[in-house]
PDB file of all heavy atoms in Angstrom:
ATOM      1  N   GLU A   5     -50.259  -8.905 -19.765  1.00  0.00           N
ATOM      2  CA  GLU A   5     -50.678  -9.560 -18.520  1.00  0.00           C
ATOM      3  C   GLU A   5     -50.361 -11.050 -18.547  1.00  0.00           C
ATOM      4  O   GLU A   5     -50.049 -11.644 -17.502  1.00  0.00           O
ATOM      5  CB  GLU A   5     -52.165  -9.326 -18.254  1.00  0.00           C
ATOM      6  CG  GLU A   5     -53.108  -9.917 -19.263  1.00  0.00           C
ATOM      7  CD  GLU A   5     -54.553  -9.601 -18.932  1.00  0.00           C
ATOM      8  OE1 GLU A   5     -54.925  -9.701 -17.754  1.00  0.00           O
ATOM      9  OE2 GLU A   5     -55.306  -9.258 -19.858  1.00  0.00           O
ATOM     10  N   ALA A   6     -50.424 -11.667 -19.727  1.00  0.00           N
ATOM     11  CA  ALA A   6     -50.052 -13.084 -19.835  1.00  0.00           C
ATOM     12  C   ALA A   6     -48.587 -13.273 -19.464  1.00  0.00           C
ATOM     13  O   ALA A   6     -48.230 -14.222 -18.744  1.00  0.00           O
ATOM     14  CB  ALA A   6     -50.310 -13.589 -21.251  1.00  0.00           C
ATOM     15  N   LEU A   7     -47.745 -12.363 -19.920  1.00  0.00           N
ATOM     16  CA  LEU A   7     -46.321 -12.420 -19.591  1.00  0.00           C
ATOM     17  C   LEU A   7     -46.099 -12.152 -18.106  1.00  0.00           C
ATOM     18  O   LEU A   7     -45.316 -12.832 -17.439  1.00  0.00           O
ATOM     19  CB  LEU A   7     -45.554 -11.389 -20.434  1.00  0.00           C
ATOM     20  CG  LEU A   7     -44.030 -11.378 -20.270  1.00  0.00           C
ATOM     21  CD1 LEU A   7     -43.437 -12.711 -20.714  1.00  0.00           C
ATOM     22  CD2 LEU A   7     -43.426 -10.222 -21.078  1.00  0.00           C
ATOM     23  N   GLY A   8     -46.825 -11.170 -17.573  1.00  0.00           N
ATOM     24  CA  GLY A   8     -46.641 -10.803 -16.170  1.00  0.00           C
ATOM     25  C   GLY A   8     -47.089 -11.875 -15.200  1.00  0.00           C
ATOM     26  O   GLY A   8     -46.503 -12.034 -14.125  1.00  0.00           O
ATOM     27  N   LEU A   9     -48.126 -12.624 -15.551  1.00  0.00           N
ATOM     28  CA  LEU A   9     -48.657 -13.650 -14.651  1.00  0.00           C
ATOM     29  C   LEU A   9     -48.307 -15.064 -15.092  1.00  0.00           C
ATOM     30  O   LEU A   9     -48.723 -16.033 -14.449  1.00  0.00           O
ATOM     31  CB  LEU A   9     -50.185 -13.521 -14.549  1.00  0.00           C
ATOM     32  CG  LEU A   9     -50.724 -12.236 -13.892  1.00  0.00           C
ATOM     33  CD1 LEU A   9     -52.243 -12.206 -13.938  1.00  0.00           C
ATOM     34  CD2 LEU A   9     -50.231 -12.112 -12.458  1.00  0.00           C
ATOM     35  N   GLY A  10     -47.568 -15.182 -16.186  1.00  0.00           N
ATOM     36  CA  GLY A  10     -47.183 -16.501 -16.675  1.00  0.00           C
ATOM     37  C   GLY A  10     -48.355 -17.316 -17.201  1.00  0.00           C
ATOM     38  O   GLY A  10     -48.427 -18.531 -16.997  1.00  0.00           O
ATOM     39  N   LEU A  11     -49.304 -16.644 -17.899  1.00  0.00           N
ATOM     40  CA  LEU A  11     -50.478 -17.338 -18.427  1.00  0.00           C
ATOM     41  C   LEU A  11     -50.163 -18.001 -19.756  1.00  0.00           C
ATOM     42  O   LEU A  11     -49.355 -17.507 -20.543  1.00  0.00           O
ATOM     43  CB  LEU A  11     -51.629 -16.340 -18.636  1.00  0.00           C
ATOM     44  CG  LEU A  11     -52.035 -15.467 -17.448  1.00  0.00           C
ATOM     45  CD1 LEU A  11     -53.214 -14.580 -17.839  1.00  0.00           C
ATOM     46  CD2 LEU A  11     -52.394 -16.325 -16.246  1.00  0.00           C
ATOM     47  N   THR A  12     -50.829 -19.121 -20.026  1.00  0.00           N
ATOM     48  CA  THR A  12     -50.725 -19.754 -21.338  1.00  0.00           C
ATOM     49  C   THR A  12     -51.611 -18.990 -22.326  1.00  0.00           C
ATOM     50  O   THR A  12     -52.442 -18.155 -21.921  1.00  0.00           O
ATOM     51  CB  THR A  12     -51.181 -21.219 -21.285  1.00  0.00           C
ATOM     52  OG1 THR A  12     -52.596 -21.254 -20.982  1.00  0.00           O
ATOM     53  CG2 THR A  12     -50.411 -21.996 -20.224  1.00  0.00           C
ATOM     54  N   THR A  13     -51.460 -19.284 -23.609  1.00  0.00           N
ATOM     55  CA  THR A  13     -52.269 -18.621 -24.629  1.00  0.00           C
ATOM     56  C   THR A  13     -53.754 -18.898 -24.421  1.00  0.00           C
ATOM     57  O   THR A  13     -54.595 -17.994 -24.533  1.00  0.00           O
ATOM     58  CB  THR A  13     -51.853 -19.092 -26.035  1.00  0.00           C
ATOM     59  OG1 THR A  13     -50.467 -18.816 -26.229  1.00  0.00           O
ATOM     60  CG2 THR A  13     -52.656 -18.382 -27.115  1.00  0.00           C
ATOM     61  N   SER A  14     -54.081 -20.149 -24.099  1.00  0.00           N
ATOM     62  CA  SER A  14     -55.491 -20.504 -23.894  1.00  0.00           C
ATOM     63  C   SER A  14     -56.056 -19.829 -22.647  1.00  0.00           C
ATOM     64  O   SER A  14     -57.219 -19.406 -22.633  1.00  0.00           O
ATOM     65  CB  SER A  14     -55.643 -22.026 -23.786  1.00  0.00           C
ATOM     66  OG  SER A  14     -54.912 -22.531 -22.683  1.00  0.00           O
ATOM     67  N   GLU A  15     -55.255 -19.694 -21.609  1.00  0.00           N
ATOM     68  CA  GLU A  15     -55.717 -19.015 -20.400  1.00  0.00           C
ATOM     69  C   GLU A  15     -55.968 -17.537 -20.671  1.00  0.00           C
ATOM     70  O   GLU A  15     -56.983 -16.973 -20.230  1.00  0.00           O
ATOM     71  CB  GLU A  15     -54.684 -19.177 -19.283  1.00  0.00           C
ATOM     72  CG  GLU A  15     -54.640 -20.580 -18.684  1.00  0.00           C
ATOM     73  CD  GLU A  15     -53.530 -20.746 -17.672  1.00  0.00           C
ATOM     74  OE1 GLU A  15     -52.538 -19.977 -17.722  1.00  0.00           O
ATOM     75  OE2 GLU A  15     -53.635 -21.656 -16.818  1.00  0.00           O
ATOM     76  N   ALA A  16     -55.067 -16.923 -21.408  1.00  0.00           N
ATOM     77  CA  ALA A  16     -55.249 -15.508 -21.741  1.00  0.00           C
ATOM     78  C   ALA A  16     -56.498 -15.304 -22.578  1.00  0.00           C
ATOM     79  O   ALA A  16     -57.288 -14.377 -22.341  1.00  0.00           O
ATOM     80  CB  ALA A  16     -54.018 -14.987 -22.486  1.00  0.00           C
ATOM     81  N   GLY A  17     -56.708 -16.168 -23.571  1.00  0.00           N
ATOM     82  CA  GLY A  17     -57.894 -16.050 -24.417  1.00  0.00           C
ATOM     83  C   GLY A  17     -59.179 -16.273 -23.644  1.00  0.00           C
ATOM     84  O   GLY A  17     -60.207 -15.642 -23.935  1.00  0.00           O
ATOM     85  N   SER A  18     -59.142 -17.146 -22.646  1.00  0.00           N
ATOM     86  CA  SER A  18     -60.352 -17.436 -21.876  1.00  0.00           C
ATOM     87  C   SER A  18     -60.812 -16.229 -21.062  1.00  0.00           C
ATOM     88  O   SER A  18     -61.988 -16.139 -20.684  1.00  0.00           O
ATOM     89  CB  SER A  18     -60.120 -18.623 -20.938  1.00  0.00           C
ATOM     90  OG  SER A  18     -59.233 -18.285 -19.885  1.00  0.00           O
ATOM     91  N   LEU A  19     -59.918 -15.293 -20.782  1.00  0.00           N
ATOM     92  CA  LEU A  19     -60.311 -14.088 -20.057  1.00  0.00           C
ATOM     93  C   LEU A  19     -61.338 -13.285 -20.855  1.00  0.00           C
ATOM     94  O   LEU A  19     -62.291 -12.735 -20.294  1.00  0.00           O
ATOM     95  CB  LEU A  19     -59.086 -13.224 -19.756  1.00  0.00           C
ATOM     96  CG  LEU A  19     -58.039 -13.838 -18.814  1.00  0.00           C
ATOM     97  CD1 LEU A  19     -56.827 -12.929 -18.734  1.00  0.00           C
ATOM     98  CD2 LEU A  19     -58.632 -14.080 -17.424  1.00  0.00           C
ATOM     99  N   VAL A  20     -61.144 -13.214 -22.169  1.00  0.00           N
ATOM    100  CA  VAL A  20     -62.101 -12.525 -23.034  1.00  0.00           C
ATOM    101  C   VAL A  20     -63.415 -13.298 -23.068  1.00  0.00           C
ATOM    102  O   VAL A  20     -64.507 -12.726 -22.948  1.00  0.00           O
ATOM    103  CB  VAL A  20     -61.529 -12.366 -24.459  1.00  0.00           C
ATOM    104  CG1 VAL A  20     -62.553 -11.687 -25.372  1.00  0.00           C
ATOM    105  CG2 VAL A  20     -60.236 -11.573 -24.430  1.00  0.00           C
ATOM    106  N   THR A  21     -63.306 -14.612 -23.238  1.00  0.00           N
ATOM    107  CA  THR A  21     -64.501 -15.458 -23.312  1.00  0.00           C
ATOM    108  C   THR A  21     -65.363 -15.312 -22.070  1.00  0.00           C
ATOM    109  O   THR A  21     -66.584 -15.112 -22.150  1.00  0.00           O
ATOM    110  CB  THR A  21     -64.105 -16.933 -23.490  1.00  0.00           C
ATOM    111  OG1 THR A  21     -63.337 -17.077 -24.679  1.00  0.00           O
ATOM    112  CG2 THR A  21     -65.348 -17.816 -23.569  1.00  0.00           C
ATOM    113  N   TRP A  22     -64.722 -15.389 -20.888  1.00  0.00           N
ATOM    114  CA  TRP A  22     -65.492 -15.323 -19.652  1.00  0.00           C
ATOM    115  C   TRP A  22     -65.998 -13.920 -19.346  1.00  0.00           C
ATOM    116  O   TRP A  22     -67.008 -13.755 -18.654  1.00  0.00           O
ATOM    117  CB  TRP A  22     -64.677 -15.890 -18.495  1.00  0.00           C
ATOM    118  CG  TRP A  22     -64.755 -17.385 -18.500  1.00  0.00           C
ATOM    119  CD1 TRP A  22     -63.876 -18.259 -19.062  1.00  0.00           C
ATOM    120  CD2 TRP A  22     -65.815 -18.174 -17.975  1.00  0.00           C
ATOM    121  NE1 TRP A  22     -64.308 -19.554 -18.922  1.00  0.00           N
ATOM    122  CE2 TRP A  22     -65.509 -19.537 -18.248  1.00  0.00           C
ATOM    123  CE3 TRP A  22     -67.007 -17.887 -17.298  1.00  0.00           C
ATOM    124  CZ2 TRP A  22     -66.342 -20.579 -17.878  1.00  0.00           C
ATOM    125  CZ3 TRP A  22     -67.836 -18.936 -16.910  1.00  0.00           C
ATOM    126  CH2 TRP A  22     -67.499 -20.252 -17.202  1.00  0.00           C
ATOM    127  N   THR A  23     -65.325 -12.910 -19.862  1.00  0.00           N
ATOM    128  CA  THR A  23     -65.866 -11.552 -19.745  1.00  0.00           C
ATOM    129  C   THR A  23     -67.177 -11.450 -20.516  1.00  0.00           C
ATOM    130  O   THR A  23     -68.162 -10.878 -20.031  1.00  0.00           O
ATOM    131  CB  THR A  23     -64.865 -10.515 -20.292  1.00  0.00           C
ATOM    132  OG1 THR A  23     -63.656 -10.581 -19.537  1.00  0.00           O
ATOM    133  CG2 THR A  23     -65.441  -9.102 -20.182  1.00  0.00           C
ATOM    134  N   LEU A  24     -67.205 -12.032 -21.723  1.00  0.00           N
ATOM    135  CA  LEU A  24     -68.418 -12.004 -22.533  1.00  0.00           C
ATOM    136  C   LEU A  24     -69.526 -12.869 -21.920  1.00  0.00           C
ATOM    137  O   LEU A  24     -70.702 -12.504 -21.963  1.00  0.00           O
ATOM    138  CB  LEU A  24     -68.116 -12.465 -23.960  1.00  0.00           C
ATOM    139  CG  LEU A  24     -67.223 -11.516 -24.772  1.00  0.00           C
ATOM    140  CD1 LEU A  24     -66.871 -12.138 -26.118  1.00  0.00           C
ATOM    141  CD2 LEU A  24     -67.914 -10.176 -24.964  1.00  0.00           C
ATOM    142  N   ILE A  25     -69.142 -14.026 -21.353  1.00  0.00           N
ATOM    143  CA  ILE A  25     -70.130 -14.865 -20.669  1.00  0.00           C
ATOM    144  C   ILE A  25     -70.736 -14.097 -19.493  1.00  0.00           C
ATOM    145  O   ILE A  25     -71.954 -14.104 -19.276  1.00  0.00           O
ATOM    146  CB  ILE A  25     -69.487 -16.181 -20.182  1.00  0.00           C
ATOM    147  CG1 ILE A  25     -69.131 -17.079 -21.381  1.00  0.00           C
ATOM    148  CG2 ILE A  25     -70.418 -16.921 -19.218  1.00  0.00           C
ATOM    149  CD1 ILE A  25     -68.348 -18.316 -21.011  1.00  0.00           C
ATOM    150  N   GLY A  26     -69.885 -13.424 -18.744  1.00  0.00           N
ATOM    151  CA  GLY A  26     -70.376 -12.590 -17.653  1.00  0.00           C
ATOM    152  C   GLY A  26     -71.309 -11.499 -18.144  1.00  0.00           C
ATOM    153  O   GLY A  26     -72.325 -11.195 -17.510  1.00  0.00           O
ATOM    154  N   ALA A  27     -70.977 -10.915 -19.311  1.00  0.00           N
ATOM    155  CA  ALA A  27     -71.807  -9.849 -19.872  1.00  0.00           C
ATOM    156  C   ALA A  27     -73.194 -10.356 -20.242  1.00  0.00           C
ATOM    157  O   ALA A  27     -74.199  -9.662 -20.038  1.00  0.00           O
ATOM    158  CB  ALA A  27     -71.122  -9.247 -21.097  1.00  0.00           C
ATOM    159  N   VAL A  28     -73.269 -11.562 -20.780  1.00  0.00           N
ATOM    160  CA  VAL A  28     -74.574 -12.142 -21.116  1.00  0.00           C
ATOM    161  C   VAL A  28     -75.395 -12.362 -19.853  1.00  0.00           C
ATOM    162  O   VAL A  28     -76.583 -12.025 -19.788  1.00  0.00           O
ATOM    163  CB  VAL A  28     -74.398 -13.472 -21.886  1.00  0.00           C
ATOM    164  CG1 VAL A  28     -75.746 -14.170 -22.050  1.00  0.00           C
ATOM    165  CG2 VAL A  28     -73.768 -13.215 -23.253  1.00  0.00           C
ATOM    166  N   ILE A  29     -74.756 -12.919 -18.808  1.00  0.00           N
ATOM    167  CA  ILE A  29     -75.445 -13.136 -17.525  1.00  0.00           C
ATOM    168  C   ILE A  29     -75.907 -11.794 -16.945  1.00  0.00           C
ATOM    169  O   ILE A  29     -77.045 -11.643 -16.507  1.00  0.00           O
ATOM    170  CB  ILE A  29     -74.517 -13.858 -16.531  1.00  0.00           C
ATOM    171  CG1 ILE A  29     -74.190 -15.273 -17.033  1.00  0.00           C
ATOM    172  CG2 ILE A  29     -75.164 -13.925 -15.145  1.00  0.00           C
ATOM    173  CD1 ILE A  29     -73.106 -15.967 -16.228  1.00  0.00           C
ATOM    174  N   GLY A  30     -75.000 -10.818 -16.952  1.00  0.00           N
ATOM    175  CA  GLY A  30     -75.332  -9.503 -16.407  1.00  0.00           C
ATOM    176  C   GLY A  30     -76.448  -8.830 -17.173  1.00  0.00           C
ATOM    177  O   GLY A  30     -77.295  -8.144 -16.578  1.00  0.00           O
ATOM    178  N   GLY A  31     -76.452  -9.016 -18.497  1.00  0.00           N
ATOM    179  CA  GLY A  31     -77.509  -8.427 -19.296  1.00  0.00           C
ATOM    180  C   GLY A  31     -78.880  -8.935 -18.878  1.00  0.00           C
ATOM    181  O   GLY A  31     -79.836  -8.156 -18.738  1.00  0.00           O
ATOM    182  N   LEU A  32     -78.982 -10.235 -18.636  1.00  0.00           N
ATOM    183  CA  LEU A  32     -80.256 -10.825 -18.239  1.00  0.00           C
ATOM    184  C   LEU A  32     -80.651 -10.393 -16.827  1.00  0.00           C
ATOM    185  O   LEU A  32     -81.780  -9.975 -16.582  1.00  0.00           O
ATOM    186  CB  LEU A  32     -80.169 -12.351 -18.312  1.00  0.00           C
ATOM    187  CG  LEU A  32     -79.825 -12.938 -19.690  1.00  0.00           C
ATOM    188  CD1 LEU A  32     -79.750 -14.455 -19.608  1.00  0.00           C
ATOM    189  CD2 LEU A  32     -80.848 -12.522 -20.736  1.00  0.00           C
ATOM    190  N   VAL A  33     -79.698 -10.472 -15.908  1.00  0.00           N
ATOM    191  CA  VAL A  33     -79.999 -10.167 -14.494  1.00  0.00           C
ATOM    192  C   VAL A  33     -80.320  -8.689 -14.300  1.00  0.00           C
ATOM    193  O   VAL A  33     -81.357  -8.327 -13.721  1.00  0.00           O
ATOM    194  CB  VAL A  33     -78.816 -10.578 -13.590  1.00  0.00           C
ATOM    195  CG1 VAL A  33     -79.040 -10.087 -12.164  1.00  0.00           C
ATOM    196  CG2 VAL A  33     -78.630 -12.090 -13.611  1.00  0.00           C
ATOM    197  N   PHE A  34     -79.461  -7.815 -14.796  1.00  0.00           N
ATOM    198  CA  PHE A  34     -79.658  -6.384 -14.559  1.00  0.00           C
ATOM    199  C   PHE A  34     -80.830  -5.824 -15.354  1.00  0.00           C
ATOM    200  O   PHE A  34     -81.459  -4.854 -14.935  1.00  0.00           O
ATOM    201  CB  PHE A  34     -78.377  -5.616 -14.881  1.00  0.00           C
ATOM    202  CG  PHE A  34     -77.341  -5.687 -13.787  1.00  0.00           C
ATOM    203  CD1 PHE A  34     -76.159  -6.376 -13.971  1.00  0.00           C
ATOM    204  CD2 PHE A  34     -77.564  -5.071 -12.577  1.00  0.00           C
ATOM    205  CE1 PHE A  34     -75.212  -6.455 -12.965  1.00  0.00           C
ATOM    206  CE2 PHE A  34     -76.621  -5.131 -11.550  1.00  0.00           C
ATOM    207  CZ  PHE A  34     -75.448  -5.831 -11.749  1.00  0.00           C
ATOM    208  N   GLY A  35     -81.138  -6.429 -16.499  1.00  0.00           N
ATOM    209  CA  GLY A  35     -82.307  -5.986 -17.245  1.00  0.00           C
ATOM    210  C   GLY A  35     -83.581  -6.176 -16.434  1.00  0.00           C
ATOM    211  O   GLY A  35     -84.425  -5.275 -16.329  1.00  0.00           O
ATOM    212  N   VAL A  36     -83.729  -7.358 -15.847  1.00  0.00           N
ATOM    213  CA  VAL A  36     -84.906  -7.645 -15.023  1.00  0.00           C
ATOM    214  C   VAL A  36     -84.938  -6.751 -13.780  1.00  0.00           C
ATOM    215  O   VAL A  36     -85.979  -6.182 -13.429  1.00  0.00           O
ATOM    216  CB  VAL A  36     -84.918  -9.134 -14.595  1.00  0.00           C
ATOM    217  CG1 VAL A  36     -86.067  -9.397 -13.629  1.00  0.00           C
ATOM    218  CG2 VAL A  36     -85.048 -10.035 -15.814  1.00  0.00           C
ATOM    219  N   LEU A  37     -83.788  -6.612 -13.120  1.00  0.00           N
ATOM    220  CA  LEU A  37     -83.723  -5.760 -11.926  1.00  0.00           C
ATOM    221  C   LEU A  37     -84.113  -4.320 -12.262  1.00  0.00           C
ATOM    222  O   LEU A  37     -84.808  -3.649 -11.479  1.00  0.00           O
ATOM    223  CB  LEU A  37     -82.317  -5.797 -11.332  1.00  0.00           C
ATOM    224  CG  LEU A  37     -81.882  -7.111 -10.670  1.00  0.00           C
ATOM    225  CD1 LEU A  37     -80.432  -7.024 -10.223  1.00  0.00           C
ATOM    226  CD2 LEU A  37     -82.785  -7.456  -9.485  1.00  0.00           C
ATOM    227  N   SER A  38     -83.682  -3.853 -13.436  1.00  0.00           N
ATOM    228  CA  SER A  38     -84.011  -2.495 -13.850  1.00  0.00           C
ATOM    229  C   SER A  38     -85.511  -2.311 -14.058  1.00  0.00           C
ATOM    230  O   SER A  38     -86.071  -1.258 -13.730  1.00  0.00           O
ATOM    231  CB  SER A  38     -83.259  -2.154 -15.145  1.00  0.00           C
ATOM    232  OG  SER A  38     -83.681  -0.923 -15.668  1.00  0.00           O
ATOM    233  N   ASP A  39     -86.165  -3.338 -14.595  1.00  0.00           N
ATOM    234  CA  ASP A  39     -87.617  -3.240 -14.800  1.00  0.00           C
ATOM    235  C   ASP A  39     -88.383  -3.278 -13.485  1.00  0.00           C
ATOM    236  O   ASP A  39     -89.508  -2.799 -13.403  1.00  0.00           O
ATOM    237  CB  ASP A  39     -88.091  -4.373 -15.720  1.00  0.00           C
ATOM    238  CG  ASP A  39     -87.762  -4.102 -17.179  1.00  0.00           C
ATOM    239  OD1 ASP A  39     -87.744  -2.931 -17.569  1.00  0.00           O
ATOM    240  OD2 ASP A  39     -87.496  -5.066 -17.926  1.00  0.00           O
ATOM    241  N   TYR A  40     -87.773  -3.838 -12.450  1.00  0.00           N
ATOM    242  CA  TYR A  40     -88.420  -3.885 -11.138  1.00  0.00           C
ATOM    243  C   TYR A  40     -88.065  -2.688 -10.265  1.00  0.00           C
ATOM    244  O   TYR A  40     -88.926  -2.115  -9.589  1.00  0.00           O
ATOM    245  CB  TYR A  40     -88.033  -5.174 -10.402  1.00  0.00           C
ATOM    246  CG  TYR A  40     -88.886  -6.366 -10.764  1.00  0.00           C
ATOM    247  CD1 TYR A  40     -88.438  -7.296 -11.685  1.00  0.00           C
ATOM    248  CD2 TYR A  40     -90.142  -6.556 -10.176  1.00  0.00           C
ATOM    249  CE1 TYR A  40     -89.224  -8.404 -12.020  1.00  0.00           C
ATOM    250  CE2 TYR A  40     -90.929  -7.657 -10.500  1.00  0.00           C
ATOM    251  CZ  TYR A  40     -90.467  -8.576 -11.428  1.00  0.00           C
ATOM    252  OH  TYR A  40     -91.247  -9.656 -11.754  1.00  0.00           O
ATOM    253  N   TYR A  41     -86.801  -2.293 -10.252  1.00  0.00           N
ATOM    254  CA  TYR A  41     -86.330  -1.331  -9.255  1.00  0.00           C
ATOM    255  C   TYR A  41     -85.916   0.036  -9.805  1.00  0.00           C
ATOM    256  O   TYR A  41     -85.620   0.938  -9.021  1.00  0.00           O
ATOM    257  CB  TYR A  41     -85.152  -1.935  -8.481  1.00  0.00           C
ATOM    258  CG  TYR A  41     -85.522  -3.199  -7.748  1.00  0.00           C
ATOM    259  CD1 TYR A  41     -85.051  -4.436  -8.168  1.00  0.00           C
ATOM    260  CD2 TYR A  41     -86.378  -3.148  -6.645  1.00  0.00           C
ATOM    261  CE1 TYR A  41     -85.410  -5.608  -7.502  1.00  0.00           C
ATOM    262  CE2 TYR A  41     -86.737  -4.305  -5.971  1.00  0.00           C
ATOM    263  CZ  TYR A  41     -86.252  -5.531  -6.405  1.00  0.00           C
ATOM    264  OH  TYR A  41     -86.618  -6.681  -5.750  1.00  0.00           O
TER     265      TYR A  41
END
């Protein structure tokens, strides 16, 4: 995908980082929602 979209190495690596950051946010948000709904 880096080759297909012309991404730099740091941009490609940040996709993993931000996926994990999103996962941490989602874990907190959806955990609370699950306990309520």
Side-chain angles (χ1 to χ4, degrees):
E5 64 182 317
L7 184 63
L9 294 176
L11 307 182
T12 66
T13 302
S14 61
E15 287 175 337
S18 70
L19 295 174
V20 178
T21 301
W22 279 95
T23 299
L24 292 174
I25 291 173
V28 172
I29 295 171
L32 301 179
V33 172
F34 281 112
V36 174
L37 290 176
S38 172
D39 283 328
Y40 275 99
Y41 299 109

